[in-house]
Amino acid sequence: MEIEDEILGNLKPVKHRLLKYGFQEKDGQLVFTKKIINGDFSVKISVAPLDKLRGTFLI
C-alpha cells in the first residue's frame, strides 16, 4: 500500500474542486505544485486519470 492510499483511503477527487483550489490541467492530469520551506523545496501533487493520486517532493 502506498502512502497516498493510506492517507486518502477511498476518497475520489472532484475535478471542479481541484481546479478551484489551484490545480491545473496538463497532459490529461490535474497537477498542483507549491514551493515550501522558504522556496527551498517544491511539492507536486498529480491526479491522473482523475482517480490515482501521486505526490512528489522536489529538491
Coordinates of all heavy atoms in Angstrom, one line a residue:
M1 N 0.9 -1.2 0.0 CA 0.0 0.0 0.0 C 0.9 1.2 0.0 O 1.8 1.3 0.8 CB -0.9 0.0 1.2 CG -1.8 1.2 1.3 SD -2.9 1.2 2.7 CE -4.1 0.1 2.1
E2 N 0.6 2.2 -0.9 CA 1.3 3.4 -0.9 C 0.8 4.4 0.1 O -0.4 4.4 0.5 CB 1.2 4.0 -2.3 CG 1.9 3.1 -3.4 CD 1.9 3.7 -4.8 OE1 1.7 4.9 -4.9 OE2 1.9 2.9 -5.7
I3 N 1.6 5.4 0.4 CA 1.2 6.4 1.5 C 0.0 7.2 1.0 O -0.9 7.5 1.9 CB 2.4 7.3 1.8 CG1 2.0 8.1 3.1 CG2 2.8 8.2 0.7 CD1 3.2 8.8 3.7
E4 N -0.1 7.5 -0.3 CA -1.3 8.2 -0.7 C -2.6 7.4 -0.4 O -3.6 8.0 0.0 CB -1.2 8.5 -2.2 CG 0.0 9.4 -2.6 CD 1.3 8.7 -2.9 OE1 1.4 7.5 -2.6 OE2 2.2 9.4 -3.4
D5 N -2.5 6.1 -0.6 CA -3.7 5.3 -0.4 C -4.0 5.2 1.1 O -5.2 5.2 1.5 CB -3.5 3.9 -0.9 CG -3.3 3.8 -2.4 OD1 -3.9 4.7 -3.1 OD2 -2.5 3.0 -2.9
E6 N -3.0 5.2 1.9 CA -3.2 5.2 3.4 C -3.9 6.4 3.9 O -4.8 6.4 4.7 CB -1.9 5.0 4.1 CG -1.3 3.6 4.1 CD -0.1 3.5 4.9 OE1 -0.1 4.0 6.1 OE2 0.9 2.9 4.5
I7 N -3.4 7.6 3.3 CA -3.9 8.9 3.8 C -5.3 9.1 3.2 O -6.2 9.5 4.0 CB -3.0 10.0 3.3 CG1 -1.7 9.9 4.1 CG2 -3.6 11.4 3.6 CD1 -0.6 10.8 3.6
L8 N -5.6 8.8 2.0 CA -6.8 9.2 1.3 C -7.9 8.1 1.3 O -9.1 8.4 1.1 CB -6.6 9.7 -0.1 CG -5.7 10.9 -0.2 CD1 -5.3 11.2 -1.6 CD2 -6.3 12.1 0.5
G9 N -7.5 6.9 1.5 CA -8.4 5.8 1.5 C -9.2 5.7 0.3 O -8.7 5.7 -0.8
N10 N -10.5 5.7 0.4 CA -11.4 5.6 -0.8 C -11.9 6.9 -1.3 O -12.9 6.9 -2.1 CB -12.6 4.7 -0.4 CG -12.2 3.2 -0.2 OD1 -11.2 2.8 -0.8 ND2 -12.8 2.6 0.8
L11 N -11.3 8.0 -0.9 CA -11.8 9.3 -1.4 C -11.6 9.4 -2.9 O -10.6 8.9 -3.4 CB -11.1 10.4 -0.7 CG -11.3 10.6 0.8 CD1 -10.4 11.6 1.4 CD2 -12.8 10.9 1.1
K12 N -12.5 10.1 -3.6 CA -12.4 10.3 -5.0 C -12.2 11.8 -5.3 O -12.9 12.6 -4.7 CB -13.6 9.8 -5.7 CG -13.8 8.3 -5.6 CD -12.8 7.5 -6.3 CE -13.0 6.0 -6.2 NZ -11.8 5.2 -6.6
P13 N -11.3 12.2 -6.2 CA -11.1 13.6 -6.5 C -12.3 14.1 -7.2 O -13.0 13.4 -8.0 CB -9.9 13.6 -7.4 CG -9.8 12.2 -7.9 CD -10.4 11.3 -6.9
V14 N -12.6 15.4 -7.0 CA -13.7 16.1 -7.7 C -13.0 17.2 -8.5 O -12.5 18.2 -8.0 CB -14.7 16.7 -6.7 CG1 -15.8 17.5 -7.4 CG2 -15.3 15.6 -5.8
K15 N -13.1 17.0 -9.8 CA -12.3 17.9 -10.7 C -12.5 19.4 -10.5 O -11.6 20.1 -10.4 CB -12.6 17.5 -12.2 CG -11.8 18.3 -13.2 CD -12.1 17.8 -14.6 CE -11.3 18.6 -15.6 NZ -11.6 18.2 -17.0
H16 N -13.8 19.8 -10.5 CA -14.0 21.3 -10.4 C -13.5 21.8 -9.0 O -13.1 23.0 -9.0 CB -15.5 21.6 -10.6 CG -16.4 21.2 -9.5 ND1 -17.0 20.0 -9.4 CD2 -16.9 21.9 -8.4 CE1 -17.8 19.9 -8.3 NE2 -17.7 21.1 -7.7
R17 N -13.5 21.0 -8.0 CA -13.0 21.5 -6.7 C -11.4 21.6 -6.8 O -10.9 22.5 -6.2 CB -13.4 20.5 -5.6 CG -14.8 20.6 -5.2 CD -15.2 19.8 -4.1 NE -16.6 19.8 -3.8 CZ -17.2 19.1 -2.9 NH1 -16.5 18.2 -2.2 NH2 -18.5 19.2 -2.7
L18 N -10.8 20.6 -7.4 CA -9.3 20.7 -7.5 C -8.9 21.9 -8.4 O -8.0 22.6 -8.0 CB -8.8 19.4 -8.1 CG -9.0 18.1 -7.3 CD1 -8.6 16.9 -8.0 CD2 -8.2 18.3 -6.0
L19 N -9.6 22.2 -9.4 CA -9.3 23.3 -10.3 C -9.5 24.6 -9.5 O -8.7 25.5 -9.6 CB -10.2 23.3 -11.5 CG -9.9 22.2 -12.6 CD1 -10.9 22.2 -13.7 CD2 -8.5 22.4 -13.1
K20 N -10.6 24.7 -8.7 CA -10.8 25.9 -7.9 C -9.7 26.1 -6.8 O -9.3 27.2 -6.5 CB -12.2 25.7 -7.2 CG -12.6 26.9 -6.4 CD -14.0 26.7 -5.9 CE -14.4 28.0 -5.1 NZ -15.8 27.8 -4.5
Y21 N -9.2 25.0 -6.3 CA -8.1 25.1 -5.3 C -6.8 25.5 -5.9 O -5.9 26.1 -5.3 CB -7.9 23.7 -4.7 CG -6.9 23.7 -3.6 CD1 -7.2 24.2 -2.3 CD2 -5.6 23.3 -3.8 CE1 -6.2 24.3 -1.3 CE2 -4.6 23.3 -2.8 CZ -5.0 23.8 -1.5 OH -4.0 23.8 -0.5
G22 N -6.6 25.3 -7.2 CA -5.3 25.7 -7.9 C -4.7 24.7 -8.7 O -3.6 24.9 -9.3
F23 N -5.3 23.5 -8.8 CA -4.7 22.5 -9.7 C -4.9 23.0 -11.2 O -5.8 23.8 -11.5 CB -5.5 21.2 -9.6 CG -5.0 20.4 -8.4 CD1 -5.4 20.7 -7.1 CD2 -4.3 19.2 -8.6 CE1 -5.0 20.0 -6.0 CE2 -3.9 18.4 -7.5 CZ -4.2 18.8 -6.2
Q24 N -4.0 22.6 -12.1 CA -4.0 22.9 -13.5 C -4.0 21.6 -14.3 O -3.4 20.6 -13.9 CB -2.8 23.7 -13.9 CG -2.7 25.1 -13.1 CD -1.5 25.9 -13.5 OE1 -0.6 25.4 -14.2 NE2 -1.4 27.1 -13.0
E25 N -4.8 21.7 -15.4 CA -4.8 20.5 -16.3 C -3.6 20.5 -17.2 O -3.3 21.5 -17.9 CB -6.1 20.6 -17.2 CG -7.3 20.2 -16.4 CD -8.5 20.0 -17.3 OE1 -8.6 18.8 -17.9 OE2 -9.2 20.9 -17.5
K26 N -2.8 19.4 -17.2 CA -1.7 19.2 -18.0 C -1.6 17.8 -18.5 O -1.5 16.9 -17.7 CB -0.4 19.6 -17.2 CG -0.3 21.0 -16.8 CD 1.0 21.3 -16.1 CE 1.1 22.7 -15.6 NZ 2.3 23.0 -14.8
D27 N -1.6 17.6 -19.8 CA -1.5 16.3 -20.4 C -2.4 15.2 -19.8 O -2.0 14.1 -19.4 CB 0.0 15.8 -20.3 CG 1.0 16.7 -21.0 OD1 0.6 17.2 -22.0 OD2 2.1 16.9 -20.4
G28 N -3.6 15.6 -19.6 CA -4.6 14.6 -19.1 C -4.6 14.4 -17.6 O -5.2 13.5 -17.1
Q29 N -3.8 15.2 -16.9 CA -3.7 15.1 -15.4 C -4.1 16.5 -14.8 O -4.0 17.5 -15.5 CB -2.2 14.8 -15.0 CG -1.7 13.5 -15.5 CD -0.3 13.3 -15.0 OE1 0.1 13.8 -14.0 NE2 0.5 12.6 -15.7
L30 N -4.4 16.4 -13.6 CA -4.5 17.6 -12.8 C -3.3 17.7 -11.9 O -3.0 16.8 -11.2 CB -5.8 17.6 -11.9 CG -7.1 17.6 -12.7 CD1 -8.3 17.5 -11.8 CD2 -7.2 18.9 -13.5
V31 N -2.6 18.9 -12.0 CA -1.3 19.0 -11.3 C -1.3 20.2 -10.4 O -1.8 21.3 -10.8 CB -0.2 19.1 -12.3 CG1 1.2 19.2 -11.6 CG2 -0.2 17.9 -13.2
F32 N -0.8 20.1 -9.2 CA -0.6 21.2 -8.3 C 0.8 21.2 -7.8 O 1.3 20.2 -7.3 CB -1.6 21.0 -7.1 CG -1.5 22.2 -6.0 CD1 -2.1 23.4 -6.3 CD2 -0.7 22.0 -4.9 CE1 -2.0 24.4 -5.3 CE2 -0.6 23.0 -4.0 CZ -1.3 24.2 -4.2
T33 N 1.5 22.3 -7.9 CA 2.9 22.5 -7.4 C 3.0 23.7 -6.5 O 2.4 24.7 -6.8 CB 3.9 22.6 -8.6 OG1 3.7 21.6 -9.5 CG2 5.3 22.7 -8.2
K34 N 3.7 23.5 -5.4 CA 3.8 24.6 -4.4 C 5.2 24.5 -3.8 O 5.7 23.5 -3.5 CB 2.8 24.4 -3.3 CG 2.9 25.6 -2.3 CD 1.7 25.6 -1.4 CE 1.9 26.7 -0.4 NZ 0.7 27.5 -0.2
K35 N 5.8 25.7 -3.8 CA 7.1 25.8 -3.1 C 6.9 25.9 -1.6 O 5.9 26.5 -1.1 CB 7.8 27.1 -3.5 CG 8.3 27.0 -5.0 CD 9.2 28.2 -5.3 CE 9.6 28.1 -6.8 NZ 10.7 27.2 -7.0
I36 N 7.7 25.2 -0.8 CA 7.6 25.2 0.6 C 9.0 25.5 1.3 O 10.0 25.5 0.6 CB 7.1 23.9 1.1 CG1 8.0 22.7 0.7 CG2 5.7 23.6 0.6 CD1 7.6 21.4 1.4
I37 N 9.0 25.7 2.5 CA 10.2 25.9 3.3 C 11.1 27.0 2.7 O 12.2 26.8 2.2 CB 11.0 24.6 3.5 CG1 10.1 23.5 4.1 CG2 12.2 24.9 4.5 CD1 10.8 22.2 4.2
N38 N 10.5 28.2 2.6 CA 11.2 29.4 2.1 C 11.6 29.2 0.6 O 12.6 29.8 0.2 CB 12.4 29.8 2.9 CG 12.1 30.1 4.3 OD1 11.1 30.8 4.6 ND2 12.8 29.7 5.3
G39 N 10.9 28.4 -0.1 CA 11.2 28.2 -1.5 C 12.3 27.2 -1.8 O 12.7 27.1 -3.0
D40 N 12.8 26.6 -0.8 CA 13.9 25.7 -1.0 C 13.5 24.3 -1.6 O 14.3 23.6 -2.1 CB 14.7 25.4 0.3 CG 15.4 26.6 0.8 OD1 15.8 27.5 0.0 OD2 15.6 26.8 2.1
F41 N 12.2 24.0 -1.4 CA 11.7 22.7 -1.9 C 10.4 22.9 -2.5 O 9.7 24.0 -2.3 CB 11.5 21.7 -0.7 CG 12.7 21.4 0.1 CD1 13.0 22.1 1.2 CD2 13.6 20.4 -0.3 CE1 14.2 21.9 2.0 CE2 14.7 20.1 0.4 CZ 15.0 20.9 1.5
S42 N 10.0 22.0 -3.4 CA 8.6 22.0 -4.0 C 7.9 20.7 -3.8 O 8.5 19.7 -3.7 CB 8.8 22.2 -5.5 OG 9.3 23.5 -5.8
V43 N 6.6 20.8 -3.7 CA 5.8 19.6 -3.6 C 4.9 19.6 -4.8 O 4.3 20.6 -5.2 CB 4.9 19.7 -2.3 CG1 3.9 18.6 -2.3 CG2 5.7 19.7 -1.1
K44 N 4.8 18.5 -5.5 CA 4.0 18.3 -6.7 C 3.0 17.2 -6.4 O 3.4 16.1 -6.0 CB 4.9 18.0 -7.9 CG 4.1 17.8 -9.1 CD 5.0 17.4 -10.3 CE 4.2 17.1 -11.6 NZ 5.1 16.8 -12.7
I45 N 1.7 17.5 -6.6 CA 0.6 16.5 -6.5 C 0.0 16.4 -7.8 O -0.4 17.4 -8.4 CB -0.4 17.0 -5.4 CG1 0.3 17.1 -4.1 CG2 -1.5 16.0 -5.3 CD1 -0.5 17.8 -3.0
S46 N -0.2 15.2 -8.3 CA -0.8 15.0 -9.6 C -1.9 13.9 -9.5 O -1.8 13.0 -8.7 CB 0.1 14.6 -10.7 OG 0.8 13.4 -10.4
V47 N -3.0 14.1 -10.2 CA -4.2 13.2 -10.2 C -4.4 12.8 -11.6 O -4.7 13.7 -12.4 CB -5.4 13.9 -9.6 CG1 -6.6 12.9 -9.5 CG2 -5.1 14.4 -8.2
A48 N -4.3 11.6 -11.9 CA -4.5 11.1 -13.3 C -4.8 9.6 -13.3 O -4.2 8.9 -12.6 CB -3.3 11.3 -14.1
P49 N -5.7 9.2 -14.1 CA -6.7 9.9 -14.8 C -7.9 10.2 -13.9 O -9.0 9.6 -14.0 CB -7.1 9.0 -16.0 CG -6.9 7.6 -15.4 CD -5.7 7.8 -14.4
L50 N -7.7 11.1 -13.0 CA -8.7 11.6 -12.1 C -9.2 10.5 -11.1 O -10.3 10.6 -10.5 CB -10.0 12.2 -12.8 CG -9.7 13.5 -13.5 CD1 -11.0 14.0 -14.1 CD2 -9.1 14.5 -12.7
D51 N -8.3 9.6 -10.8 CA -8.6 8.6 -9.8 C -7.4 8.1 -9.1 O -7.5 7.5 -8.1 CB -9.5 7.4 -10.3 CG -8.7 6.6 -11.3 OD1 -7.6 7.0 -11.7 OD2 -9.2 5.5 -11.6
K52 N -6.2 8.4 -9.6 CA -5.0 8.0 -9.0 C -4.2 9.2 -8.6 O -3.8 10.0 -9.4 CB -4.2 7.2 -10.0 CG -2.9 6.6 -9.5 CD -3.1 5.7 -8.3 CE -1.7 5.1 -7.8 NZ -1.8 4.5 -6.6
L53 N -3.9 9.3 -7.3 CA -3.2 10.5 -6.7 C -1.7 10.1 -6.5 O -1.4 9.0 -6.1 CB -3.7 10.9 -5.4 CG -3.0 12.0 -4.7 CD1 -3.5 13.3 -5.3 CD2 -3.2 12.0 -3.2
R54 N -0.8 11.0 -6.9 CA 0.6 10.7 -6.7 C 1.2 12.0 -6.2 O 1.0 13.1 -6.7 CB 1.2 10.3 -8.0 CG 2.7 10.2 -7.9 CD 3.3 9.5 -9.1 NE 4.5 8.9 -8.6 CZ 5.0 7.8 -8.9 NH1 4.4 7.1 -9.8 NH2 6.2 7.4 -8.5
G55 N 2.0 11.9 -5.1 CA 2.7 13.0 -4.6 C 4.2 12.9 -4.8 O 4.8 11.8 -4.8
T56 N 4.9 14.1 -5.0 CA 6.3 14.1 -5.3 C 6.9 15.2 -4.5 O 6.4 16.3 -4.5 CB 6.7 14.3 -6.8 OG1 6.0 13.3 -7.5 CG2 8.1 14.1 -7.0
F57 N 8.1 15.0 -3.9 CA 8.8 16.0 -3.1 C 10.0 16.4 -3.9 O 10.8 15.5 -4.2 CB 9.2 15.5 -1.8 CG 9.8 16.5 -0.9 CD1 9.1 17.6 -0.4 CD2 11.1 16.4 -0.5 CE1 9.7 18.5 0.5 CE2 11.7 17.3 0.3 CZ 11.0 18.3 0.8
L58 N 10.1 17.6 -4.4 CA 11.2 18.0 -5.3 C 12.2 18.9 -4.5 O 11.8 19.8 -3.8 CB 10.7 18.8 -6.5 CG 9.6 18.1 -7.3 CD1 9.0 19.1 -8.2 CD2 10.1 16.9 -8.0
I59 N 13.5 18.6 -4.7 CA 14.5 19.4 -4.1 C 15.1 20.4 -5.0 O 15.3 20.2 -6.2 CB 15.7 18.5 -3.5 CG1 15.1 17.6 -2.5 CG2 16.8 19.4 -3.0 CD1 16.1 16.6 -2.0

